[in-house]
Amino acid sequence: MPATTSPTTDTASFDVEAFRADFPALQQDIYEDTPLVYLDNAATSQKPTSVIDRLDHFYRHENSNVHRGVHRLSQEATDEYESARASMQTFLNADRPEEVIFTRGTTEGLNLVASAFGQMVVEEGDEILLTEMEHHSNIVPWQMLAERVGAEIRVLPVTDRGELQMDRLGEFLTEDTALMAVTHISNTLGTINPVADLIDAAHAIDVPVVVDGAQSAPHLSIDVQALDADFFAFSGHKMFGPTGIGILYGKYEHLDAMPPYQGGGDMIDQVSFDGTTHDDPPHKFEAGTPNIADVVGLGTAAEYIMDLDWEAVQAHEEDVLAHATEQARAIDGVRIIGTAPDKTSVLSFVFDDVHPYDAGTFLDRMGITVRTGHHCTQPLVKRYGLPGTIRASFAAYNTRDDADALANGLRKVKDMLG
Amino acid sequence: MPATDTISDRAQEIVDEFALFNDWMGRYEHLMELGDDIPVIDDDDKTDDHYVHGCQSDVWIRADYDEDDNVLRFEGDSNAKITKGLAALVIRVLNEQPPEAVESAEFDFLDEIGLQDNLSSQRNNGLRAMIEQMRERARTFRN
Ligand SMILES: Cc1ncc(COP(=O)(O)O)c(C=O)c1O
C-alpha cells in the first residue's frame, strides 16, 4: 500500500517511505489485487534487501565451515562469523564478545539458561519468580527445571491495565527466590516492563535475572550493562534478521561457571575416552557446526538497525501506535487489552460481539495480517477472561496508513459480523 | 428414511450454491447463514465428550447412530460464526449418511467454494479436527 506522507511520520532523520522500500515482501499484493498490510511483526518481521543479499552473497562466495580449516575460505567464513558476534556485542553493549552466544532463537536461549545455569543456582525448595505476562517460552523451561530439582514457580501478577504489580514485588521476590525470569516487553500487551528496577531489586538480595528480550530487541535500544541483566535472550527473525538464529547474552562470570549445554564438535578443548575438557565461552555453548549464514545475516540486520537514527524511529513507532490506538478505540464495541502508559508497537483488542477468529479471518481476506488467539501467553489471556485477542503489531516500516487500513477493516468486520 | 443423495451430490450442490456469489463477502455471508441453520446441539450436550480440540474457537459436534436406518445424525455449534458455518457445511454433507460413507468422505469441495485457502481442509487445523472427530465416531458404529 503506497503510504502518503503525513506530517508526523516523516521526520528529517527517519524517512519511513525510503525505509519501507527496503523490504521486498511489503511490496506484494495478496488475494489477487489486495495490497498486503503487514501487522504481524511481533510474530516475525520482514527482511530488508541488505539481509537477503547478505545471505545470498555468503552462499555464493564465502560458504565454508568455521573454526576448523587452515584454508582461506574457512578463515574468511570464521572472520565473518566472529565479526557478526562483534556487531551483536555492539548492538547489546555487552562488555566482551565472549558474552554473546549464538542460538536458534529466544526459546533456545531461555532453555540453555534454564538447563545449564538453572541447575547451578536453583535447588530443592527454592522459588523461581516469573510474571503473569510471560510467553510460553519463558514459562515452560522453568517449569521443567522446577520439576527436575523440586523448586516452585511463583508468578508476579499484572494489573487490569496490563502492568506488573510492582507494589506487590516484595511478596514474591523473597529470600526463597533463587532466580527471576521476566519479559522486557509483553508480546500480547505491548507493555514495557521496568526491567532495570526489577533487576535492581533482585540483585539487592543476590537473585540473578534472565530477561526475555524477544520483543524489545526490535524496538528499544538495548544496553545489557546499563540494565545489569544476568542473561538476555532474543531472536533474529523479529528484528529484520533471518529465522533460526538468535542471541543469548550472559555475563562472562556466569558463562564461565556454567556447564556446557550440548556436547559435540567446536565446544571442546581435548577429547579422549577418559574424559573431555571443554572450550571457554562462547564456544563452549556452540556445539556443532553453527548456523553460519544466518549468523552473518543477523550481523547485517544489527548493523542495519544501528545505522538508523533510533530516537527518530522510536518517535515514528510511537506516533503510529498512538494513531492506531485512537482509531481502534473510536470503533463501537472494540476494547483494547493492554493500556499501560509505557507501551510499544502492540495493539491487542477484542470486540464485544465478534469472535477474534472471525475478525482475523475477515481481516486476512482484506489483506490485513493480524494474529488472533492467545499469542503463546495462555495464562495472561486467561487472566483477562478472554478466548484470545486480535493483535496488530507494528514495525518501523508501518505507517499511519497501515493503521487506517486496519481501522477500515475493523469497521467492515463490525458491519458484517457485529 | 435414510438419505438417497450421496455425499458427493451434496458437495456439488454446495459448490453450485457458492458459485452464485461473485465476491468473497457474499460467499462469507452465505457461509454464516448456513451456520444459522445448523442442527444445533443442546447446551447440555456441550461437554468434553463432544468438544472438538484444535480449533481457535469453541466447537462441539455430537454424533448419534440410528441403527434402524444405519445412518449417523450430527449436531454442532461454535462460538465463532465462520467456524459454525464450516461445521454446518460438513454436517450438511455427512448427515444421515451410513457410517461407511462418513468414514471415507472427501472434502475437496471446500477448496472449490471460493473461501480462503486457510479454510481448506488441508490447511485448517480446526476443520481437520472436526472432520477427524466425525470420522472417528463413524468408525465406532461401522458394522
Ligand atoms: C516475548 C517472547 N518471548 C519468546 C518468544 C519466542 O521466540 P522464538 O519463537 O523466536 O524462539 C517470542 C516470540 O514468539 C516472544 O514474543
Side-chain angles (χ1 to χ4, degrees), chain B residues 115-131:
Chain B
L115 302 176
Q116 273 130 291
D117 293 348
N118 54 13
L119 297 180
S120 78
S121 55
Q122 288 306 309
R123 291 220 194 149
N124 190 292
N125 291 336
L127 193 54
R128 227 176 20 234
M130 268 187 248
I131 291 171

Side-chain angles (χ1 to χ4, degrees), chain B residues 89-121:
Chain B
L89 279 186
V90 175
I91 289 180
R92 187 167 145 194
V93 295
L94 299 183
N95 216 14
E96 312 214 327
Q97 296 285 352
E100 294 76 14
V102 170
E103 230 193 298
S104 58
E106 302 277 354
F107 294 88
D108 299 347
F109 76 96
L110 292 170
D111 301 341
E112 293 167 36
I113 57 179
L115 302 176
Q116 273 130 291
D117 293 348
N118 54 13
L119 297 180
S120 78
S121 55

Side-chain angles (χ1 to χ4, degrees), chain A residues 70-373:
Chain A
V70 290
H71 60 78
R72 176 163 177 130
L73 260 190
S74 172
Q75 280 165 10
E76 274 179 10
T78 305
D79 287 350
E80 293 299 328
Y81 182 84
E82 291 304 329
S83 137
R85 196 188 308 275
S87 297
M88 299 319 293
Q89 178 197 356
T90 310
F91 180 82
L92 288 164
N93 192 31
D95 187 32
R96 8 187 333 188
E98 295 87 349
E99 294 178 325
V100 175
I101 298 165
F102 291 117
T103 63
R104 282 194 297 128
T106 312
T107 304
E108 189 180 54
L110 294 169
N111 275 281
L112 193 163
V113 184
S115 175
F117 183 71
Q119 73 175 46
M120 271 172 46
V121 298
V122 182
E123 292 170 4
E124 191 173 347
D126 284 350
E127 292 177 359
I128 299 168
L129 179 55
L130 309 178
T131 84
E132 204 171 13
M133 64 169 83
E134 298 311 312
H135 188 281
H136 298 164
S137 288
N138 203 24
I139 298 175
V140 183
W142 303 114
Q143 287 176 325
M144 289 162 63
L145 171 68
E147 202 156 289
R148 214 159 49 231
V149 304
E152 198 189 321
I153 303 282
R154 301 285 312 274
V155 182
L156 183 63
V158 299
T159 63
D160 290 345
R161 292 203 300 185
E163 297 156 292
L164 294 177
Q165 294 190 14
M166 293 297 283
D167 55 337
R168 294 183 57 192
L169 184 61
E171 283 172 50
F172 293 88
L173 181 67
T174 69
E175 57 190 18
D176 293 328
T177 314
L179 181 145
M180 174 168 191
V182 58
T183 193
H184 201 172
I185 295 180
S186 161
N187 64 304
T188 300
L189 306 170
T191 312
I192 304 174
N193 287 323
V195 164
D197 296 345
L198 286 167
I199 292 174
D200 277 352
H203 284 179
I205 54 169
D206 290 329
V207 171
V209 180
V210 181
V211 180
D212 174 348
Q215 295 298 334
S216 57
H219 295 290
L220 304 180
S221 89
I222 306 297
D223 184 337
V224 287
Q225 294 188 76
L227 285 177
D228 202 22
D230 294 278
F231 294 93
F232 189 97
F234 61 102
S235 303
H237 67 93
K238 295 183 199 278
M239 51 169 280
F240 311 135
T243 51
I245 191 70
I247 297 292
L248 175 67
Y249 159 85
K251 282 184 180 170
Y252 192 85
E253 63 193 85
H254 296 321
L255 297 177
D256 195 39
M258 281 154 64
Y261 177 50
Q262 294 177 329
D266 246 10
M267 53 75 71
I268 46 85
D269 179 24
Q270 296 289 325
V271 176
S272 79
F273 285 110
D274 297 329
T276 293
T277 55
H278 51 69
D279 207 342
D280 293 326
H283 303 295
K284 176 162 86 173
F285 300 104
E286 292 175 2
T289 298
N291 184 354
I292 307 163
D294 293 319
V295 162
V296 171
L298 176 58
T300 302
E303 293 294 339
Y304 179 75
I305 288 175
M306 289 188 286
D307 280 346
L308 298 170
D309 175 347
W310 206 243
E311 269 182 38
V313 172
Q314 276 175 331
H316 166 73
E317 290 191 353
E318 275 170 30
D319 174 71
V320 172
L321 180 67
H323 183 71
T325 306
E326 195 182 306
Q327 293 280 305
R329 204 171 253 147
I331 297 169
D332 200 31
V334 166
R335 181 158 59 97
I336 293 169
I337 308 299
T339 51
D342 219 3
K343 266 188 75 164
T344 189
S345 296
V346 170
L347 183 62
S348 248
F349 53 93
V350 290
F351 277 98
D352 287 346
D353 51 0
V354 180
H355 195 282
Y357 176 76
D358 287 335
T361 304
F362 272 56
L363 289 171
D364 171 60
R365 188 57 190 78
M366 294 182 253
I368 303 161
T369 55
V370 295
R371 182 152 292 221
T372 61

Side-chain angles (χ1 to χ4, degrees), chain B residues 2-137:
Chain B
T4 50
D5 51 348
T6 65
I7 286 177
S8 57
D9 290 342
R10 293 191 202 169
Q12 190 55 49
E13 192 182 290
I14 290 171
V15 170
D16 294 345
E17 225 170 85
F18 273 85
L20 298 175
F21 300 93
N22 47 21
D23 67 353
W24 67 269
M25 283 207 203
R27 290 191 287 271
Y28 276 90
E29 268 164 13
H30 184 57
L31 180 72
M32 292 188 295
E33 277 164 21
L34 294 177
D36 290 339
D37 294 337
I38 197 170
V40 70
I41 182 172
D42 253 22
D43 279 348
D44 290 348
D45 287 331
K46 291 181 178 172
T47 58
D48 252 9
D49 275 354
H50 303 129
Y51 191 81
V52 181
H53 293 271
C55 306
Q56 265 201 39
S57 50
D58 292 326
V59 184
W60 298 267
I61 290 189
R62 178 194 164 104
D64 287 300
Y65 180 54
D66 180 333
E67 222 170 308
D68 297 339
D69 288 345
N70 184 37
V71 293
L72 288 163
R73 295 210 170 79
F74 295 100
E75 297 172 335
D77 203 359
S78 171
N79 61 349
K81 292 187 179 178
I82 291 172
T83 315
K84 192 170 170 181
L86 291 171
L89 279 186
V90 175
I91 289 180
R92 187 167 145 194
V93 295
L94 299 183
N95 216 14
E96 312 214 327
Q97 296 285 352
E100 294 76 14
V102 170
E103 230 193 298
S104 58
E106 302 277 354
F107 294 88
D108 299 347
F109 76 96
L110 292 170
D111 301 341
E112 293 167 36
I113 57 179
L115 302 176
Q116 273 130 291
D117 293 348
N118 54 13
L119 297 180
S120 78
S121 55
Q122 288 306 309
R123 291 220 194 149
N124 190 292
N125 291 336
L127 193 54
R128 227 176 20 234
M130 268 187 248
I131 291 171
E132 206 31 64
Q133 182 151 329
M134 292 164 91
R135 283 188 178 141
E136 187 62 45
R137 299 303 301 207

Side-chain angles (χ1 to χ4, degrees), chain A residues 43-58:
Chain A
T44 200
S45 68
Q46 299 301 344
K47 320 304 172 198
T49 307
S50 56
V51 170
I52 298 167
D53 288 350
R54 187 67 191 86
L55 295 174
D56 184 82
H57 183 82
F58 178 82

